[in-house]
Amino acid sequence: MDTPKHLLNDRYDDRYFDVVNAIQEAKQLHIEGACVIDRLAAAAAAGGKFRIGETGFGAGRLLVALMDSLEAGGVAGAEVDYCSVELYPVSIEKMRLLLGGLDCRPRHIENLTDAYSRIDTSVPGWHRAVLSGDFGVINLRLFIGEALDMAVTLDDYCDAWFLDGHAPSKNPEMWRAELLSAIGAKSAAGATVTTFTAAGYVRRNLIAAGFCVQRVPGYGGKKEALKGVFLGNS
Ligand SMILES: C[S@@+](CC[C@H](N)C(=O)[O-])C[C@H]1O[C@@H](n2cnc3c(N)ncnc32)[C@H](O)[C@@H]1O
């Protein structure tokens, strides 16, 4: 199927996400594949926070998929820090266009676009916005700038990392050893990492960063994906 023009990020000649089932693929790998809802619910039951790191915020589709999964899972009282980074932020109009028609509860898209519209993405550095719902609270912490600067300045350890920075052939910068090592350094013991990228050097860079990594089946047109667990103790 041809990629609709609005889904293409011209700068990288790659799509923001897949044409079909973008929410479902996000849920299958990043959320269900890393047992995020169960782990997050356990943290909430213990009165703790769960921290997610993401490389490549784009249109925020993974965050929308997370809210949809939290609601479907009946989670209540959660507190999530969602720490993401974007070097070339999309406009609010572009975000609405990209998210429009995705297969999820529309209120989650409205929740995100409301929060995003309150962020001045022309200012580099860390920004904050709060998204709330029946599931609890998500503190969106969005770094406008380069991914390595985000990882280095992140003041906490993440429990799950979603790596979504375009294909390595189109954007090798997002998969370089220095960045993945900084991500390892900001991972809690047992933190998970998930990505639809299965390139050998990405796997090797993740292993060097302290993750135990396995290849798993991809989704839709993607043959393989990677899942990993942080074995270190940052
Ligand atoms: C595949 S898209 C992300 C899609 C997003 N996760 C979503 O679900 O909507 C990859 C994003 O990474 C951003 N990006 C590329 N290189 C970057 C870098 N070095 N630092 C930060 N962001 C970068 C791109 O601008 C693009 O928005």
Side-chain angles (χ1 to χ4, degrees), residues 22-23 26-27 31 60-70 104:
I23 292 288
K27 286 181 177 176
I31 299 172
R61 175 232 3 183
L62 299 186
L63 178 49
V64 170
L66 174 70
M67 286 189 277
D68 210 54
S69 299
L70 285 170
C104 65

Side-chain angles (χ1 to χ4, degrees), residues 93-113:
E93 294 78 18
K94 176 84 176 175
M95 177 181 269
R96 288 199 179 102
L97 186 65
L98 283 162
L99 297 177
L102 287 187
D103 185 16
C104 65
R105 295 161 182 85
R107 63 178 160 278
H108 300 312
I109 296 177
E110 284 153 28
N111 202 350
L112 174 60
T113 49

Side-chain angles (χ1 to χ4, degrees), residues 9 12 15-17 54-62 85-88 145-147 164-166 171 173-174 176:
N9 185 345
Y12 294 99
R15 57 185 80 164
Y16 280 96
F17 42 74
E54 177 189 40
T55 53
F57 185 69
R61 175 232 3 183
L62 299 186
V85 59
E86 181 51 60
L87 185 54
Y88 302 111
E146 217 282 322
D164 195 18
H166 287 307
N171 189 18
E173 286 285 288
M174 279 295 244
R176 64 198 197 271

Side-chain angles (χ1 to χ4, degrees), residues 166-227:
H166 287 307
S169 56
K170 310 276 184 170
N171 189 18
E173 286 285 288
M174 279 295 244
W175 309 99
R176 64 198 197 271
E178 190 186 15
L179 173 58
L180 298 187
S181 159
I183 284 173
K186 292 294 164 69
S187 296
T192 51
V193 65
T194 41
T195 169
F196 278 108
T197 296
Y201 84 90
V202 172
R203 199 167 54 89
R204 288 190 291 278
N205 287 349
L206 281 170
I207 292 169
F211 292 90
C212 171
V213 183
Q214 67 176 129
R215 288 201 176 93
V216 293
Y219 184 91
K222 292 164 186 140
K223 258 180 34 203
E224 285 186 321
L226 292 180
K227 263 176 28 174

Side-chain angles (χ1 to χ4, degrees), residues 120-181:
D120 182 356
T121 56
S122 67
V123 178
W126 284 104
H127 296 261
R128 282 173 187 263
V130 176
L131 295 88
S132 42
D134 292 344
F135 51 76
V137 169
I138 297 177
N139 304 303
L140 170 60
R141 299 174 59 196
L142 178 61
F143 186 88
I144 302 297
E146 217 282 322
L148 181 62
D149 294 331
M150 175 268 200
V152 168
T153 58
L154 184 61
D155 58 5
D156 224 326
Y157 300 106
C158 290
D159 300 297
W161 282 95
F162 303 160
L163 306 186
D164 195 18
H166 287 307
S169 56
K170 310 276 184 170
N171 189 18
E173 286 285 288
M174 279 295 244
W175 309 99
R176 64 198 197 271
E178 190 186 15
L179 173 58
L180 298 187
S181 159

